[in-house]
Amino acid sequence: MTRLPRWADVVLVPLISLLLAGIISALVILAIGQSPREALSTMVTGSVGSAYAWGYTLYYATSFMFTGLAVTVAFHGSLFNIGGEGQAQLGGLGVALVCLALPWPHWTLALPVAMVAGALFGAAWAALPAYLQARRGSHIVITTIMFNYIGAALIIYLLVNVLRPAGQMDPATARFPAGAALPTLHDLPILNLIFDKKIPANVTLFVALFACWLVWLLLWRTRLGYEIRAFGKSEPAALYAGISPFKVTMLAMLVSGALAGLMSINNVMGESGRLLQNSSEGAGFIGIAVALMGRNHPIGVFLAAILFGMLYQGGAEIGLWTSIPIELRTVVQGLVILFTGALDHMVRMMLGVFFRPRRTEVA
Amino acid sequence: MTGGNASGRQETAAPFAIELRGISKAFGPVQANKDISIQVAKGSIHGIIGENGAGKSTLMSILYGFYKADAGEVLINGQPTAIPDSQAAIRAGIGMVFQHFKLVQNFSVLENVILGAEDGALLRPSLAKARKVLAELAEEYELEVEPDAVIEELSVGHQQRVEILKALYRHADILILDEPTGVLTPAEADHLFRILRNLKEQGKTVILITHKLREIMEITDTVSVMRRGEMTATVRTAGTSPEELAELMVGRKVLLHVPKEEAKPGRTVLEVKDLRVRDDDGVERLKGIDLTIRAGEILGIAGVAGNGQTELLEVLGGIADGTGSIVLNGESLDLTGKFSDGQSRRRQGISHVPEDRQHLGMIMDFTAWENTAFGYHHDPAYQKNRWLMDNDAILEDTKGKMERFDVRPPIPTLQAKSFSGGNQQKIILAREIERNPDLLLVGQPTRGVDIGAIEFIHKRIVELRDAGKAVLLVSVELDEIMSLSDRIAVMFDGRIMGERDPRTTNERELGLLMAGVSGEAAA
Amino acid sequence: MDYATLLQILDSTIRLAVPLLLACLAGLYSERSGIFDIGLEGKMLMAAMCTGAVAALSGSVWVGLLAGIAGSVIFAAIHGIASITFRGNQLISGVALNFVASGITVLIAQSLFRQGGRTPPLSGDARFNPITLPFAESLSGVPVIGPLYSEVISGHGALVYIAFLAVPVTWWVLYRTRFGLRLRAVGENPASVDTAGISVIRLRYAAVIITGILCGLAGAYMAAGLQAGFGKEMTAGRGYIALAALIFAKWRPWYALMATLLFGFFQALALRPDVIKNTMGFDVPVPALDALPYILTVIVLAGFVGRAIPPRAGGEPYVKER
């Protein structure tokens, strides 16, 4: 196969993948008798056409940054963490417990504690699959899938039987105290000049941006990151270099789980103000798409998260204003994962035609 | 040339069993085979010899339909034959025994033999027939193997017999064996040669691919030499000598002797006692090793691959756990637990150039500078502060190392996989030798390395010895062991069979030890 | 618990186990050939939608079944193209196709029927009608065995019997036929198959297509047997439970039957929390029963109940060695 120049691999491959996913989605829309053009314009207007729209797009993007980073960290250690969904929901449990535990006077006090709790709970939910992978060789993909379901069952049980306040019908915790509510971008000075309506995007966005930077530092500037990447490329070589597979597997997965768990300060603390069933709403899975699209680099993850934020918000708008069901965004999401993660060789082959190197003849 | 008169070929009574005419094959910019022509007479054993990477395996893969040649044609029994896939090769009567066996590990021998050669949609008749045929073949060719045994429980030698049986079951008349003795004990190799002679007597044609001169001289009738994708000569074995073949192989007189001063052994650096290692399946691979190495000497470990040398390097390098005792500079090393790892060993003064460069020694996707820190990424000189590594410092260090070890191209930001085998090895050597270790472990230092780099690498190892360091050298190349070592220990079946002085011993004596014949009997 | 309740639970065990069993056997073919498939869920969903839609339009469950199989096979083929032809990551491909299926089924159902992403309720010939086995009526009077035969074993739709028949057939194909030998070989060591002159690619495609057909049956049963019509996300993780069962069964057909019956039993119990309370004397939360198959699978994966060793070449695209 032709080897592509680096810039083409990093920039063109994801873009072409996205384009292919877009084309197929357009064909699907055509096939169900709707107009792709209308869908696209609704999506763009609804997601980036106004500050209000951006307020939603950025809210979703914040969640996806966390889950995308979670998948990225594990991926560098050659661990495919599909458990972001469960880890995010458990993280939500941690956040909820913290928020409900004290009558928090101010969000600046509540946020750090909630972050620690969310990260710890998320990491804890990744710990057992990580341990089983490291010590018993149980395939982490399967165990994390199982843990998603176990986690969902656990949350349902807790919400229905334990955490639900008396007299409340729906399975959810009580509302968090006002002092545990995070300010939205609308509540912040200067930013409220731009975001002049109530929007869900909140200060967690800045935490997410900070997390992108931290993950970059972790992977490319620290010894642990070096060990994770080395282990991910070759386990026997890592052993030779004295890198403990157990330690790296555990740490990579714990960091991954913690990042997924951290997501819940955005949705649970920043938006809904209580813990609901299925709080992560698939963001854990979208993290896979975001990481693949972002080529497992924090900058890529940042950009891809914004893109998927647009898709998610735009998709909701499509569901609202056109007769195309909201599920279109699930299709697009699946197609993006398919093209960037599974058909990437095909995309490279297609691109390879334009980058055919000159054959050097050996005399 | 066999026959010596290509134009008169039609006049000979029997056509050649197999004839290649002008075969060429390129992989991208690499010309693996260039205009290769060979003629092999029916009922003969023909050797193809060449260094690693000379294009032998590519040629055979073309013959077996794995690759399509860019140019040239193949004639079987005088008939031009197209071999687009393995099925066609099998139909043409070609059977292949690959270097890495193509057996299904959890299948029985019978199941492996019939796979792809079943007689119908149902298995039962095929299995019954195969059982009968196998019994006949066993008798005819000394190819005994239990038909119901599961492959993973068989020895390597027996697994190889299954591969040969597979070919014969498919009525192969031409049998190609790719480096068949690499994994065999000398006794197993002898048995294999007996089988090959039997096959020849029954009129089968055998092509033996190897890089071992001794085997060529012992068993072949004619031999072709390959070098860098080209066929440099085809000669009758009886009319040539190992020296001539070696010269044809590498293109010039081979330097079989490394110029070096007499060793001046000093204090004892390494003392190993009753060292034992079990593999993941619980099989004991090292069965009580005792050895010592002193400062300023090279101990060479000779032996057929797979007799515990890998495990010895691994346990000394902290990759594998073991029992017994390893004492380095008077201090006992942990053989299990937290401090039995590569990091601890490096701290204690052991550097390790592993046998498998591409899977152990470096990360092929990492850059050269990242690989320079590999295993030493905790080195304080590589840290900016408590949390962060100093990538610029590593880069600078790499530049110096590349220059001193003549790595080409000297670009630290290039990925390891972009370098040639020899240059990859130099990157590793630079990393390990410049740590100035008390003990250097070196496994197969020149495997897959071009001639120019071999001399350089040998020189660096001897220099380290002369600087008063201890070196443990493991190599399956007897020549390398003989020319580099100050003492030679021979390993067989997880034990050390004996020690010899390279100045007084010879290949025959070492060969007997490698075959497991003990010192007393060999003397 | 009285006998009648037990029979009821066993009856629903069978009905709930059938989609798991079909999907589990489906996964068995694919994974035995070395292609991991976590997209069983998506294929089932696709088949359920196609069956629900076409059965509703045509009025015939059999036409619907064919449509279901076709829908599932298309997804199987895409998985094949991604993982066999283009040597992509099989796990990612499976995940991706699950998403596509989850979305596109609703899109299609909505555009066809405009009933909120559902297909119209099926009845009569558009569903799998119960088959009364011979002597079911006459034997029902016989104590113990009679009711068991007439109420639990008899009276299911055709796919139920096909599913149970598929177990011995799969065993026979796997261990007694040339195709089975090659299938097992290609999942263990594709190079052995390749050097024997058999196409690895063709074998694996065959396996993946069989997976598609069986998932098609599973999905069709969901829409036209277990329930009457397709609804959004109606498979509700059954594809993953089937995957869990496959691991639990260590990739062997008879064990697959036992594993899926066990998991089906848990699902049946989860529908009747009152029964547990009455027999066991304490409350078992429904979520705990829901999670049980997954917990059991994790325990098996952890190797505490014998080691589950997947086919050796599983997940690895085959590249010819030089």
Side-chain angles (χ1 to χ4, degrees):
Chain A
M1 202 186 340
T2 320
R3 209 190 280 171
L4 298 180
R6 199 172 143 72
W7 69 271
D9 204 51
V10 172
V11 179
L12 272 188
V13 171
L15 285 183
I16 299 289
S17 302
L18 189 68
L19 189 69
L20 286 171
I23 291 172
I24 294 188
S25 308
L27 291 176
V28 169
I29 296 172
L30 275 179
I32 61 172
Q34 306 288 337
S35 153
R37 181 196 289 253
E38 189 197 343
L40 186 66
S41 80
T42 310
M43 195 169 113
V44 171
T45 325
S47 62
V48 292
S50 63
Y52 181 70
W54 270 104
Y56 279 85
T57 297
L58 288 176
Y59 164 69
Y60 292 122
T62 305
S63 290
F64 302 159
M65 277 178 217
F66 283 116
T67 53
L69 290 175
V71 175
T72 295
V73 170
F75 225 108
H76 277 285
S78 187
L79 299 158
F80 189 17
N81 178 14
I82 313 198
E85 194 70 8
Q87 290 143 19
Q89 292 192 17
L90 263 287
L93 178 66
V95 168
L97 291 177
V98 163
C99 291
L100 291 168
L102 293 172
W104 295 96
H106 195 264
W107 66 270
T108 47
L109 295 173
L111 181 61
V113 185
M115 279 170 61
V116 170
L120 276 181
F121 273 62
W125 207 242
L128 194 57
Y131 180 84
L132 292 177
Q133 167 81 57
R135 278 281 184 260
R136 324 259 332 166
S138 324
H139 204 307
I140 200 138
V141 170
I142 309 291
T143 45
T144 49
I145 290 176
M146 301 295 130
F147 265 68
N148 281 341
Y149 283 98
I150 299 171
L154 178 67
I155 297 279
I156 290 173
Y157 170 76
L158 290 176
L159 289 181
V160 172
N161 300 42
V162 182
L163 294 169
R164 184 169 50 131
Q168 180 183 307
M169 285 308 289
D170 50 341
T173 63
R175 295 206 165 272
F176 300 159
L182 296 178
T184 66
L185 300 186
H186 169 65
D187 302 324
L188 295 173
I190 304 174
L191 280 176
N192 61 7
L193 300 177
I194 306 167
F195 299 102
D196 53 1
K197 285 188 213 147
K198 185 127 185 64
I199 48 157
N202 57 69
V203 289
T204 313
L205 173 63
F206 304 111
V207 181
L209 293 176
F210 189 64
C212 286
W213 180 69
L214 275 185
V215 165
W216 175 80
L217 267 190
L218 169 76
L219 286 174
W220 282 281
R221 287 294 182 275
T222 68
R223 293 181 292 280
L224 176 62
Y226 182 91
E227 294 193 343
I228 290 175
R229 289 186 297 121
F231 172 79
K233 294 286 183 199
S234 166
E235 185 170 342
L239 262 176
Y240 155 77
I243 296 168
S244 154
F246 178 74
K247 182 186 124 189
V248 169
T249 303
M250 287 305 291
L251 286 178
M253 278 304 286
L254 289 178
V255 171
S256 176
L259 283 165
L262 265 180
M263 172 206 131
S264 50
I265 55 171
N266 187 46
N267 57 344
V268 176
M269 196 175 176
E271 208 266 330
S272 59
R274 57 181 185 150
L275 181 64
L276 298 158
Q277 220 187 94
N278 189 24
S279 62
S280 50
E281 291 180 307
F285 292 124
I286 293 176
I288 300 168
V290 168
L292 287 171
M293 182 85 197
R295 311 303 279 168
N296 289 304
H297 191 284
I299 296 176
V301 166
F302 166 76
L303 293 172
I306 303 259
L307 189 82
F308 272 87
M310 289 167 58
L311 179 69
Y312 213 71
Q313 166 58 13
E317 296 281 313
I318 286 177
L320 215 53
W321 304 111
T322 72
S323 30
I324 303 167
I326 191 170
E327 280 77 12
L328 175 67
R329 66 186 187 190
T330 321
V331 176
V332 180
Q333 176 196 337
L335 289 172
V336 170
I337 298 179
L338 186 68
F339 283 112
T340 50
L343 286 171
D344 50 336
H345 289 309
M346 183 188 82
V347 174
R348 282 206 191 88
M349 261 183 227
M350 289 164 57
L351 279 172
V353 176
F354 302 102
F355 289 99
R356 186 133 309 149
R358 269 165 288 156
R359 269 276 271 276
T360 34
E361 294 297 331
V362 174
Chain B
M1 277 285 166
T2 317
N5 49 342
S7 57
R9 191 177 55 79
Q10 282 84 352
E11 295 154 28
T12 52
F16 293 109
I18 194 158
E19 180 177 1
L20 306 181
R21 290 186 187 166
I23 298 283
S24 290
K25 173 73 184 172
F27 295 99
V30 183
Q31 191 78 36
N33 284 165
K34 193 162 173 257
D35 193 21
I36 295 207
S37 301
I38 306 181
Q39 298 160 333
V40 181
K42 202 167 157 48
S44 72
I45 300 183
H46 183 87
I48 295 183
I49 192 162
E51 291 189 285
N52 288 318
K56 297 169 297 193
S57 294
T58 303
L59 186 64
M60 292 308 119
S61 295
I62 289 169
L63 211 44
Y64 200 64
F66 259 31
Y67 298 126
K68 195 179 168 303
D70 301 335
E73 64 175 336
V74 177
L75 286 83
I76 309 277
N77 295 324
Q79 298 298 313
T81 310
I83 307 178
D85 52 32
S86 311
Q87 196 83 59
I90 294 166
R91 270 199 308 272
I94 298 174
M96 183 108 175
V97 176
F98 290 87
Q99 194 174 354
H100 304 286
F101 305 149
K102 311 292 179 185
L103 298 170
V104 183
Q105 288 292 315
N106 60 357
F107 274 20
S108 71
V109 171
L110 276 182
E111 285 178 314
N112 268 294
V113 165
I114 63 167
L115 180 65
E118 308 90 341
D119 291 314
L122 297 186
L123 290 185
R124 203 181 290 263
S126 307
L127 288 169
K129 179 183 145 196
R131 190 180 295 278
K132 213 173 114 240
V133 174
L134 246 51
E136 291 163 12
L137 290 174
E139 190 144 339
E140 206 168 346
Y141 299 110
E142 283 190 72
L143 275 164
E144 299 85 2
V145 56
E146 167 59 43
D148 295 311
V150 177
I151 297 297
E152 54 199 351
E153 288 159 8
L154 293 178
S155 71
V156 178
H158 277 79
Q159 292 190 16
Q160 190 173 57
R161 286 185 209 169
V162 178
E163 284 286 15
I164 297 173
L165 284 168
K166 264 167 73 175
L168 295 177
Y169 187 75
R170 287 159 174 74
H171 309 293
D173 287 320
I174 301 160
L175 194 67
I176 305 170
L177 297 102
D178 191 1
E179 301 282 357
T181 58
V183 288
L184 299 185
T185 63
E188 283 175 324
D190 285 344
H191 190 128
L192 173 69
F193 288 165
R194 277 209 302 284
I195 294 168
L196 296 186
R197 286 196 194 94
N198 284 340
L199 287 167
K200 175 184 155 182
E201 273 160 30
Q202 302 292 327
K204 310 263 183 197
T205 308
V206 176
I207 297 180
L208 178 72
I209 303 166
T210 181
H211 68 279
K212 293 181 184 164
L213 291 167
R214 195 169 52 85
E215 289 170 6
I216 292 287
M217 298 308 294
E218 182 177 337
I219 190 163
T220 62
D221 300 311
T222 49
V223 54
S224 298
V225 184
M226 284 187 79
R227 183 173 79 226
R228 289 189 192 166
E230 293 184 59
M231 185 68 59
T232 50
T234 297
V235 292
R236 286 174 47 79
T237 311
T240 187
S241 67
E243 289 75 21
E244 188 192 2
L245 288 176
E247 198 177 328
L248 287 167
M249 250 164 86
V250 297
R252 64 182 164 100
K253 283 262 188 246
V254 198
L255 195 66
L256 286 174
H257 189 75
V258 182
K260 62 181 206 279
E261 306 276 306
E262 195 72 12
K264 300 180 196 70
R267 69 195 163 83
T268 300
V269 172
L270 179 79
E271 190 161 16
V272 170
K273 281 213 175 86
D274 194 31
L275 187 60
R276 289 165 192 276
V277 170
R278 284 180 189 280
D279 66 11
D280 293 340
D281 299 323
V283 180
E284 202 169 54
R285 293 291 176 185
L286 284 191
K287 302 173 177 171
I289 297 284
D290 299 291
L291 57 84
T292 50
I293 311 181
R294 293 147 74 94
E297 70 168 355
I298 299 175
L299 175 68
I301 304 276
V304 178
N307 278 290
Q309 302 97 311
T310 303
E311 287 78 7
L312 179 63
L313 285 176
E314 282 185 349
V315 70
L316 287 173
I319 301 172
D321 285 349
T323 60
S325 93
I326 301 176
V327 177
L328 184 77
N329 295 326
E331 270 183 63
S332 188
L333 305 186
D334 284 6
L335 292 178
T336 53
K338 195 160 173 271
F339 297 105
S340 160
D341 71 332
Q343 285 297 317
S344 310
R345 294 289 200 274
R346 282 175 179 80
R347 271 198 304 276
Q348 286 147 346
I350 298 180
S351 281
H352 181 182
V353 178
E355 291 180 302
D356 191 339
R357 180 164 60 239
Q358 309 204 331
H359 294 107
L360 284 189
M362 44 189 358
I363 303 278
M364 298 312 271
D365 284 339
F366 273 14
T367 59
W369 69 265
E370 281 175 307
N371 273 305
T372 293
F374 197 50
Y376 301 98
H377 51 286
H378 289 281
D379 182 349
Y382 290 163
Q383 316 301 323
K384 194 174 272 174
N385 53 41
R386 203 176 147 199
W387 303 100
L388 300 181
M389 292 172 80
D390 190 347
N391 291 356
D392 295 332
I394 305 174
L395 199 72
E396 275 308 307
D397 191 26
T398 308
K399 275 188 195 152
K401 285 190 161 71
M402 291 180 109
E403 199 177 306
R404 290 189 292 279
F405 276 75
D406 190 32
V407 178
R408 283 177 235 180
I411 307 171
T413 49
L414 223 51
Q415 283 182 318
K417 62 183 171 200
S418 318
F419 291 92
S420 72
N423 283 300
Q424 290 171 354
Q425 188 72 314
K426 285 182 192 172
I427 293 174
I428 296 179
L429 274 168
R431 179 181 77 204
E432 302 299 331
I433 286 184
E434 292 209 346
R435 288 280 147 186
N436 207 16
D438 294 327
L439 171 66
L440 178 71
L441 310 172
V442 204
Q444 321 297 351
T446 54
R447 181 184 280 171
V449 165
D450 44 287
I451 295 282
I454 290 179
E455 272 186 49
F456 182 89
I457 290 167
H458 283 172
K459 228 174 92 196
R460 286 303 165 118
I461 293 173
V462 172
E463 271 174 27
L464 192 74
R465 178 201 77 160
D466 292 343
K469 307 296 180 182
V471 177
L472 179 86
L473 167 75
V474 168
S475 175
V476 291
E477 305 295 336
L478 212 46
D479 292 346
E480 187 166 64
I481 292 281
M482 297 270 280
S483 60
L484 271 183
S485 313
D486 299 313
R487 284 187 295 132
I488 298 173
V490 182
M491 277 188 80
F492 173 76
D493 192 27
R495 291 189 182 86
I496 291 195
M497 295 302 294
E499 252 188 53
R500 292 291 181 273
D501 185 332
R503 288 163 303 188
T504 56
T505 187
N506 56 43
E507 292 212 5
R508 189 188 155 273
E509 189 185 24
L510 293 177
L512 280 171
L513 288 170
M514 285 162 70
V517 182
S518 73
E520 295 74 44
Chain C
M1 175 169 54
D2 54 33
Y3 192 54
T5 320
L6 178 69
L7 289 185
Q8 275 173 19
I9 288 184
L10 287 181
D11 183 51
S12 62
T13 296
I14 285 182
R15 282 135 60 64
L16 289 164
V18 162
L20 299 180
L21 177 58
L22 285 167
C24 186
L25 292 176
L28 191 146
Y29 280 95
S30 183
E31 301 216 341
R32 275 291 185 137
S33 81
I35 303 292
F36 280 158
D37 193 352
I38 49 179
L40 300 173
E41 176 86 359
K43 285 191 269 288
M44 279 170 80
L45 203 56
M46 193 63 196
M49 190 278 296
C50 291
T51 302
V54 173
L57 292 173
S58 69
S60 158
V61 69
W62 299 108
V63 181
L65 175 66
L66 284 181
I69 291 173
S72 170
V73 165
I74 289 172
F75 268 59
I78 298 174
H79 186 54
I81 290 167
S83 47
I84 305 170
T85 305
F86 289 109
R87 297 176 200 149
N89 185 318
Q90 299 168 10
L91 299 166
I92 293 178
S93 167
V95 171
L97 288 171
N98 282 345
F99 282 119
V100 175
S102 161
I104 209 161
T105 46
V106 178
L107 248 63
I108 296 175
Q110 172 65 8
S111 78
L112 283 177
F113 303 105
R114 313 218 167 271
Q115 296 183 3
R118 316 172 62 81
T119 63
L122 302 174
S123 58
D125 285 342
R127 286 194 72 194
F128 293 107
N129 288 319
I131 296 170
T132 307
L133 294 184
F135 314 115
E137 292 290 318
S138 47
L139 283 175
S140 64
V142 181
V144 188
I145 299 173
L148 184 74
Y149 183 72
S150 63
E151 284 176 38
V152 177
I153 297 176
S154 170
H156 293 286
L159 276 190
V160 173
Y161 302 106
I162 291 175
F164 284 101
L165 220 75
V167 177
V169 168
T170 298
W171 177 86
W172 182 80
V173 166
L174 218 50
Y175 297 105
R176 289 289 180 268
T177 69
R178 176 174 60 191
F179 175 72
L181 182 80
R182 294 176 174 188
L183 187 79
R184 286 182 289 133
V186 81
E188 289 290 330
N189 183 1
S192 71
V193 171
D194 195 17
T195 50
I198 312 160
S199 162
V200 171
I201 290 176
R202 220 180 305 166
L203 255 177
R204 288 192 161 166
Y205 266 109
V208 164
I209 297 303
I210 294 175
T211 302
I213 294 170
L214 285 169
C215 276
L217 297 182
Y221 178 76
M222 287 297 299
L226 198 62
Q227 288 167 37
F230 165 83
K232 186 185 168 183
E233 290 286 346
M234 76 177 301
T235 45
R238 282 185 170 81
Y240 291 110
I241 300 187
L243 199 63
L246 183 59
I247 296 163
F248 203 71
K250 298 174 185 173
W251 294 268
R252 288 175 293 189
W254 286 109
Y255 289 79
L257 173 64
M258 288 188 264
T260 48
L261 279 176
L262 181 69
F263 291 176
F265 180 67
F266 293 148
Q267 290 188 339
L269 277 185
L271 295 176
R272 297 287 304 269
D274 57 306
V275 175
I276 305 174
K277 189 162 189 176
N278 292 341
T279 44
M280 311 274 281
F282 59 86
D283 238 346
V284 176
V286 173
L289 282 173
D290 287 337
L292 209 49
Y294 304 112
I295 294 172
L296 284 177
T297 304
V298 170
I299 292 171
V300 170
L301 272 172
F304 295 122
V305 198
R307 205 134 178 78
I309 301 166
R312 243 165 278 208
E316 295 291 326
Y318 178 60
V319 186
K320 269 185 190 174
E321 264 178 71
R322 230 168 116 175

